[in-house]
Amino acid sequence: MAIRPVLDRLRRYPVTLVVTGAIVVLVVGARLAHAEPDFPHHPPVACLALVATVLATALAERTLGSVRTAVIGVVVPTVAVLGTQLAVTIGDALGEAHAEATRGQPMLAPSVIAVTLFAAASAGLPAQRRWRMRTVLWTLTLTLLLFAGHGSDVTRALGALLGTAAGALVVHRASRPTTRDHLTPRTVVVATLVALGGGTLVTLVVPDPDGVLSPFADAMSDRAGVLVGVLLLVAAWLVHHGRRAGVVVATGVLVVLTAVLADVFLIEPMTDSAVQWQGLGLDEVEWQVTLLGAWVVPAAVLLAILVLRGRLVRAPFRAASEPSALVAMLRGGDAGSLGHMGTWRGNAVWSHPDGLGAVAYRVRGDVALTVSDPVCAAADRAAVIDAFVVHCQDNGWIPAFTSVHEPVRAILAPEGWTALPVGVEAVLDVTTFDLRGKRRQDLRTASNRADREGVRDEWTRFEQLDAGQRAEVEAICTRWAADRRLPEMGFTLGGFRELDDPDVRLALAVDASDRVVAVTSWLPVYAHGALTGYTLDVMRRGDGGMPGVVEFLIARTALRSREAGLTTLSLSGTPLAAHDPASHAVMDRGSRLLARLLEPAYGFRSLQRFKEKFGAAHEPLWLVVPTPLHVPRVARALASAYLPGLRPRHLWELRRAHRAAGATAAAGAGRTETPAGGRD
């Protein structure tokens, strides 16, 4: 029974099964006949080509369909072989040196089919993956063509070109690039450095290299070639991450390489009168020109790096000192329920060049973490996201859209971005909110008890508090932070400092003796230029606060908002709350596990249970990153943003907290109550 699902899946890929068998036969035949230059000398290359061809066929069959895959996989390599053979024949007849060297070499290899199908299949991929795959393919094929220069390398490059055209023909959306598809100078320079470094290494292992840049290997020893190749690849990696060291390493290597090649292929031949231009055939003149011009390539790359060095190095991050421009956009636009958090200290504000909107963000390492959704109209959201991604790419940052809502995920996910669930936002419809019904029993109890004990709610601003009340509010907030075993979280989680904002409203619980016993803060939410509601941020209860005092404040705020004609009240997001508690997906299980680990310190699960008392609707919050490979780096950046003061000793404290929580649970202390320091 376990075999049947496998067989059913295999039946969906008939072309892949046929190609697998055919490639095996072709590779074995090539090995036995010594037809493909790479195979008899490098058996691992044959295995790699076989695996790549099978994967390319499976990808093409899934994205393009079986019939298109079969047609493209047969027709395009055939046309590429015929085109290469025709070019070699004509060049050989004219006495072209490279054509003469290529004559008699095999034009077809399994890797030609692999490259063709990868290029064609890329047209059916989302934009992010499509252009990433094409960049890799063209870097690889051009490197082999320029440095190895075998007949199969020419066919491979032609197959990549024709495969790309064939894929774009059958998948029309591939011909409509978005703004996010543009090639940045950094991408071009990185690809060029990879080609030079990889090509230098290729000439050391490929038999009889004959590419136009293969003379690189003749100008230096094998050890020097390995060193140059490795250093150029290291420089490419550093430049890709926007490091200044990458520009320094690349500049140093290219200066030495240019000088060596110029000396070997230009200065010495001219000094020894070895350069002649009369009485030579076409092939001899061509080889002389190739040798004389070999040093031009690294010299041109060196010049490009020197000219573009300012755009290759990652720009330093500078937080905005005055968020007034963003505040104005928030009041006139639509940034969702978490938009006001972008005005907090530590964030920078990027504005669209055409004034369509803005994005609040902060940079940790090389990751730009957005503060929830862009500030813009819904119709301009895609354009603002596109332009912000370009801004990040130009500065060498990885864009990470943090705690965004479904509309942002819906824009990026179809383009190949990876969306991860990071929390759930609880949103109340205050137009229908009241304290009736069994579900709101806890809220009625808290409200009735407050009335009996003389606890009242005050709707105010921080600037309107007298000195005594400010001191009491500060004491409540700082006491909660001091009681935590881990540092207080930041970034999209406000504290006492964020209360001092004229746009932020406070709901205070004041007892019969005029003492503040609980604090909640509310961030304004605007839509279409009008105030539509508030978002809960700080939620603290003092030592003398009655049980249920926070529920009392939230319920009174909801009723007050309804009377004011507002529509929504967000209880903000609960980090790491699973979108579907019953889901067995890897990311949902990971979120639940991390929530359990942090529960003793931050009480995320307790906070989620607390919010369920209000009967709010749940809206998923997402983290959207370019690829799954970026997740670890983005996770480190998020940890740095939320817990900048995290130290190893805090992890030890967390371990002790888990032990204490286990002991408490074993003792039977399982009652549920309002989290004293509950917050999102």
Side-chain angles (χ1 to χ4, degrees):
M1 296 297 293
I3 299 178
R4 178 170 295 181
V6 177
L7 295 177
D8 292 340
R9 183 178 293 271
L10 291 177
R11 290 192 187 100
R12 303 175 189 172
Y13 299 94
V15 179
T16 303
L17 295 176
V18 173
V19 168
T20 300
I23 291 297
V24 170
V25 173
L26 181 62
V27 171
V28 172
R31 288 289 311 278
L32 295 176
H34 297 283
E36 165 62 38
D38 293 342
F39 287 177
H41 299 279
H42 301 282
V45 176
C47 298
L48 182 62
L50 171 62
V51 173
T53 304
V54 173
L55 293 177
T57 306
L59 178 63
E61 196 165 8
R62 188 181 68 179
T63 56
L64 304 178
S66 299
V67 175
R68 291 175 175 177
T69 299
V71 172
I72 293 175
V74 172
V75 173
V76 171
T78 301
V79 173
V81 169
L82 294 176
T84 303
Q85 188 64 58
L86 178 62
V88 169
T89 301
I90 295 175
D92 185 29
L94 296 176
E96 198 275 327
H98 292 286
E100 292 178 350
T102 307
R103 181 181 56 197
Q105 292 181 356
M107 303 301 172
L108 181 64
S111 55
V112 174
I113 301 175
V115 168
T116 297
L117 291 178
F118 272 130
S122 67
L125 297 177
Q128 284 282 323
R129 299 174 187 173
R130 176 171 70 241
W131 291 100
R132 190 175 296 109
M133 177 175 288
R134 289 180 178 177
T135 300
V136 172
L137 281 179
W138 280 108
T139 301
L140 175 64
T141 55
L142 291 179
T143 299
L144 293 174
L145 177 65
L146 295 175
F147 285 88
H150 295 148
S152 59
D153 297 317
V154 180
T155 308
R156 190 181 295 112
L158 187 57
L161 178 62
L162 296 176
T164 302
L169 182 64
V170 300
V171 183
H172 299 292
R173 69 172 177 155
S175 62
R176 301 195 300 270
T178 66
T179 308
R180 294 186 292 274
D181 297 336
H182 85 306
L183 286 176
T184 64
R186 180 179 288 102
T187 302
V188 175
V189 169
V190 168
T192 303
L193 291 175
V194 169
L196 289 179
T200 303
L201 298 176
V202 163
T203 57
L204 301 178
V205 297
V206 171
D208 303 322
D210 191 46
V212 295
L213 297 182
S214 60
F216 277 29
D218 300 327
M220 63 189 83
S221 65
D222 289 351
R223 290 184 177 180
V226 171
L227 179 62
V228 168
V230 171
L231 287 177
L232 287 175
L233 293 178
V234 170
W237 184 85
L238 292 172
V239 171
H240 175 67
H241 290 84
R243 305 289 180 82
R244 189 177 302 275
V247 175
V248 174
V249 172
T251 301
V253 173
L254 291 173
V255 166
V256 174
L257 185 60
T258 302
V260 170
L261 294 176
D263 178 62
V264 173
F265 297 133
L266 180 65
I267 298 175
E268 287 186 6
M270 296 185 68
T271 303
D272 298 339
S273 301
V275 178
Q276 300 179 9
W277 302 103
Q278 297 180 349
L280 301 178
L282 176 61
D283 58 344
E284 295 172 315
V285 172
E286 182 184 358
W287 277 113
Q288 243 178 211
V289 172
T290 299
L291 294 177
L292 292 175
W295 65 276
V296 173
V297 173
V301 177
L302 173 62
L303 179 61
I305 290 177
L306 293 177
V307 171
L308 298 172
R309 65 185 184 278
R311 303 182 65 179
L312 300 178
V313 179
R314 188 169 63 229
F317 170 72
R318 294 184 176 88
S321 57
E322 179 54 54
S324 56
L326 181 63
V327 171
M329 288 186 178
L330 286 169
R331 292 174 177 172
D334 182 5
S337 55
L338 308 180
H340 192 81
M341 297 175 181
T343 65
W344 293 349
R345 279 173 282 188
N347 297 324
V349 178
W350 168 86
S351 298
H352 190 278
D354 297 330
L356 298 180
V359 176
Y361 70 99
R362 66 177 62 185
V363 175
R364 287 293 182 270
D366 59 351
V367 179
L369 303 167
T370 70
V371 184
S372 195
D373 303 333
V375 183
C376 61
D380 299 326
R381 190 175 289 125
V384 172
I385 290 175
D386 283 350
F388 178 72
V389 171
V390 172
H391 170 70
C392 292
Q393 291 173 343
D394 290 341
N395 286 281
W397 299 328
I398 300 170
F401 292 86
T402 309
S403 295
V404 296
H405 294 83
E406 180 61 24
V408 175
R409 189 207 66 83
I411 291 172
L412 293 171
E415 299 297 335
W417 289 61
T418 299
L420 307 174
V422 293
V424 171
E425 182 181 12
V427 180
L428 282 173
D429 181 2
V430 298
T431 61
T432 60
F433 180 83
D434 57 44
L435 299 181
R436 294 177 296 178
K438 183 177 180 181
R439 196 172 186 179
R440 306 283 169 79
Q441 177 63 46
D442 289 345
L443 306 185
R444 289 198 305 274
T445 300
S447 182
N448 293 335
R449 181 170 180 174
D451 292 338
R452 290 196 307 269
E453 297 184 6
V455 177
R456 67 182 186 277
D457 64 301
E458 290 190 3
W459 186 247
T460 183
R461 293 183 175 87
F462 187 82
E463 60 187 11
Q464 296 173 337
L465 302 179
D466 57 38
Q469 288 179 319
R470 291 189 182 188
E472 290 171 344
V473 169
E474 182 176 7
I476 292 173
C477 293
T478 55
R479 182 196 64 81
W480 181 91
D483 289 343
R484 300 300 97 184
R485 288 183 170 88
L486 291 181
E488 185 176 14
M489 300 183 76
F491 188 32
T492 59
L493 304 172
F496 175 74
R497 186 174 63 180
E498 283 69 37
L499 302 183
D500 190 7
D501 183 335
D503 291 319
V504 173
R505 303 301 296 266
L506 303 182
L508 307 180
V510 182
D511 63 12
S513 60
D514 289 335
R515 184 170 59 94
V516 177
V517 294
V519 180
T520 59
S521 68
W522 300 88
L523 313 179
V525 178
Y526 295 91
H528 310 295
L531 180 69
T532 60
Y534 291 97
T535 295
L536 176 64
D537 180 33
V538 173
M539 182 171 59
R540 303 281 192 272
R541 185 185 67 178
D543 289 334
M546 70 176 193
V549 67
V550 175
E551 289 97 322
F552 160 71
L553 286 177
I554 295 175
R556 288 294 173 89
T557 301
L559 295 174
R560 181 183 288 107
S561 299
R562 186 187 66 183
E563 294 170 359
L566 304 182
T567 58
T568 61
L569 199 69
S570 170
L571 303 185
S572 201
T574 303
L576 304 178
H579 293 181
D580 181 4
S583 172
H584 295 287
V586 174
M587 294 310 304
D588 284 327
R589 286 187 294 176
S591 296
R592 289 194 292 266
L593 175 60
L594 187 55
R596 286 196 299 269
L597 292 175
L598 296 177
E599 179 65 19
Y602 294 113
F604 292 148
R605 292 195 295 172
S606 302
L607 180 60
Q608 180 68 5
R609 290 193 297 268
F610 168 73
K611 292 181 180 180
E612 290 173 356
K613 298 179 181 180
F614 298 88
H618 289 167
E619 295 185 4
L621 296 175
W622 301 92
L623 169 65
V624 189
V625 296
T627 70
L629 298 177
H630 290 112
V631 172
R633 290 160 66 184
V634 173
R636 289 196 299 269
L638 282 171
S640 175
Y642 278 108
L643 294 169
L646 185 65
R647 298 293 183 268
R649 62 181 176 84
H650 294 126
L651 301 180
W652 177 256
E653 290 292 337
L654 182 60
R655 181 172 179 269
R656 293 176 56 186
H658 271 285
R659 288 184 175 180
T664 302
R671 61 183 181 275
T672 301
E673 62 181 35
T674 302
R679 57 169 306 162
D680 68 76

